Amino acid sequence: LAKTTQPISMDSYEGQEVNITCSHNNIATNDYITWYQQFPSQGPRFIIQGYKTKVTNEVASLFIPADRKSSTLSLPRVSLSDTAVYYCLVGGTNAGKSTFGDGTTLTVKP
Amino acid sequence: EPEVTQTPSHQVTQMGQEVILRCVPISNHLYFYWYRQILGQKVEFLVSFYNNEISEKSEIFDDQFSVERPDGSNFTLKIRSTKLEDSAMYFCASSGDSGLPSTDTQYFGPGTRLTVL
């Protein structure tokens, strides 16, 4: 499974756009990139998944360059409730484990 | 929206006792998983289950652990003789079968907090 590297922590202010970048140099051809959000004492919650280029949903956008060795999760206009740990995962085939790294702790300040 | 449910939300047990953690995966999903998260640490994979058998397990998932799908809806994790270091949040997850590789997202339950005294 491809190893991922993310910043340990990030701070932002309400209303700002936040971009969290994840490195995955050893991503395999069949791997997808998935981002999860986790609040304290809750299960990880799916945010977005992509394979290449750009994916957008009602919550976030995911930017993946052509070489797919990194990806950037973009959260538009964050609020205090977006304070959480964000995990980037690579792989995710059925019956395969999801390997969580240390994640990025995002703190949104008023 | 369908969701994964887990019971109990909190389980307190004495060291050496057996515990069973229960999960009801999303109804049309075919793949099931258990993860754990020790307080302040990252989420760790324990085991995946498909077609009534374990498909992958981690080094954490030793002989003290077992999983079962006793009926068409429940998925259980049993710890035979709990140790203090088993204290953690245990998350169940499930995923479906879209027919496409690497696209099926794992959906996680709210977790069971296991406290071993």
Side-chain angles (χ1 to χ4, degrees):
Chain A
L1 290 170
K3 180 175 160 47
T4 60
T5 304
Q6 304 173 230
I8 295 294
S9 63
M10 293 182 71
D11 289 343
S12 183
Y13 291 92
E14 280 190 292
Q16 288 189 333
E17 178 184 80
V18 171
N19 296 308
I20 306 173
T21 297
C22 178
S23 298
H24 27 81
N25 290 318
N26 296 323
I27 189 168
T29 304
N30 289 336
D31 286 341
Y32 276 68
I33 299 152
T34 309
W35 285 80
Y36 286 88
Q37 174 193 58
Q38 188 182 28
F39 298 112
S41 298
Q42 293 187 27
R45 184 176 77 97
F46 171 80
I47 302 174
I48 198 166
Q49 184 182 71
Y51 184 81
K52 62 180 178 180
T53 63
K54 177 184 174 183
V55 179
T56 298
N57 62 20
E58 64 278 6
V59 176
S61 294
L62 179 59
F63 298 92
I64 306 167
D67 66 5
R68 303 200 329 120
K69 292 183 185 299
S70 66
S71 59
T72 299
L73 174 72
S74 181
L75 304 172
R77 296 180 299 283
V78 293
S79 63
L80 296 177
S81 62
D82 292 317
T83 293
V85 181
Y86 292 82
Y87 296 98
C88 159
L89 279 72
V90 172
T93 55
N94 281 333
K97 63 182 179 183
S98 284
T99 300
F100 285 79
D102 293 323
T104 297
T105 300
L106 173 65
T107 303
V108 180
K109 302 174 182 176
Chain B
E1 183 179 316
E3 57 182 19
V4 176
T5 59
Q6 292 185 241
T7 54
S9 56
H10 190 186
Q11 173 90 46
V12 181
T13 190
Q14 296 290 326
M15 190 169 57
Q17 295 296 305
E18 175 185 284
V19 294
I20 297 176
L21 309 183
R22 302 179 193 281
C23 168
V24 179
I26 293 173
S27 63
N28 64 335
H29 282 182
L30 303 175
Y31 302 84
F32 314 111
Y33 315 82
W34 283 101
Y35 294 80
R36 79 170 186 194
Q37 186 174 33
I38 295 170
L39 185 65
Q41 299 185 24
K42 60 187 179 185
V43 177
E44 299 175 290
F45 170 78
L46 292 178
V47 65
S48 59
F49 191 86
Y50 170 70
N51 201 25
N52 284 318
E53 60 182 27
I54 291 173
S55 47
E56 191 170 0
K57 60 182 182 180
S58 72
E59 61 275 8
I60 302 169
F61 193 88
D62 61 21
D63 291 344
Q64 293 299 311
F65 292 88
S66 63
V67 290
E68 192 177 33
R69 187 150 163 85
D71 53 44
S73 60
N74 290 285
F75 180 51
T76 62
L77 174 69
K78 181 193 291 186
I79 309 175
R80 277 186 251 289
S81 178
T82 51
K83 306 192 252 315
L84 295 176
E85 54 265 36
D86 293 328
S87 294
M89 284 287 284
Y90 287 81
F91 297 109
C92 172
S94 70
S95 65
D97 182 0
S98 69
L100 297 172
S102 302
T103 60
D104 280 321
T105 303
Q106 293 181 22
Y107 292 89
F108 286 76
T112 292
R113 179 175 299 284
L114 176 65
T115 302
V116 182
L117 302 176

